[in-house]
Amino acid sequence: MKSKRPTISDVAAAAGVGAATVDRVLNGRARVKPETARRILQAAEAINYRAANILRERVKEVEQQQKLGFLLLKQSCLFYQGLGRELKHACVQAGHQPVLTYMEDLRPDVLAAELDALAGKVDAVALPVADHPQIRQVVRTLYERDIPVVTIVSDLGTAERMGFIGLDSRMAGRTAGWAVARLSQKPGKVGILLSSHRYACQDTCEVSFRSYFREKAQDFHVVEALISLEEPRLAQEGTLELLELHPDLVAIYVTGGGVEGVIDALRSSPRAQEITVVCNELTDLTRAALADGIVDLVISHPLPSLAEKTVDMMVRAIGAGKGFRPEIVTLPFELFTAENIEPTGC
């Protein structure tokens, strides 16, 4: 009696999936996770399914291109514009499809909902994130759904995120303290602006900045931090308030967003050249402020390296599933002054 040829149902039973899932892989009808596609191929080969060669080609297609989602903060922020461009470039170079979403409303519930929505369209997500219970809960849910989440720039306090890529915030904060103490014309009050203490990177920068002065420069006094919520208008108002309240203000450290407002406030102040300013991220705006003497030092992420390593980690996490061991990648930060910047376009 002639033996019956294996069918799609036989492949599905051997792989432990539904026949519809095998059909999606075989005909490229919809996205299937790489590990699922590989399991189907292995089952097909084991039972000598006649279309195993076609499945093999489909698995290659699945593995070669992944949809990588990036949830970035305000598109009006020059830093996130630059980061978005580098992430797109890194995806294309690696043969993957980038899906970028920018968030203007940074309330935790809105961010959590947008993260969940984006995750339904992609194979993995990367984002800079505020450490908030609602966001942590979404990340845990995505972990159970086998959608890796990688944090960039600022980390999240949950074991379910698959990795973090960013600067050593403690080192960055202490470097900012060193710069202020060395560059200021005399000791005095020092202002500090944060987007939010919910951003772990900025919170650590502030703590480390203050610790430098406690240990190394006790004749300076760091005043209470002002919160900008990534809004240039609030940062501008906060800077003007610092200048008004503290005639002995000698420096300002901007750990996060809103630096546009700080620069605008200082450009309108006759005291601008008396104030040492340290901020984060080299953009066209901070580059011009360095050249004009408004800003003295910029501590910046190396964006091409950040983007490349983010894409690499996301793809590896997709392939490994829950077997992926979380990684922390610390990037060396770049330091810029008026003497080592290049003109825009060079």
Side-chain angles (χ1 to χ4, degrees), residues 155-202:
D155 202 5
L156 190 65
T158 176
E160 286 80 7
R161 64 97 172 95
M162 295 303 232
F164 166 70
I165 305 173
L167 304 183
D168 182 328
S169 296
R170 180 178 182 277
M171 189 180 295
R174 289 186 67 85
T175 298
W178 173 88
V180 165
R182 292 300 184 105
L183 296 175
S184 296
Q185 299 175 22
K186 59 184 179 180
K189 299 282 182 61
V190 178
I192 182 168
L193 280 85
L194 292 81
S195 298
S196 168
H197 285 99
R198 285 284 186 183
Y199 293 102
C201 61
Q202 296 183 33

Side-chain angles (χ1 to χ4, degrees), residues 69 79 89 109 248 321:
F79 168 68
H89 178 72
D109 59 328
D248 56 345

Side-chain angles (χ1 to χ4, degrees), residues 3 15 37 56 84 124 127-128 142 170 175 191 193 206 217 222 229 233 239 258 264 277 329:
S3 61
R56 191 174 298 110
L127 73 164
L142 297 183
R170 180 178 182 277
T175 298
L193 280 85
E206 181 195 5
V222 183
L229 301 177
R233 178 184 58 81
T239 302
D264 286 344
V277 178
V329 176

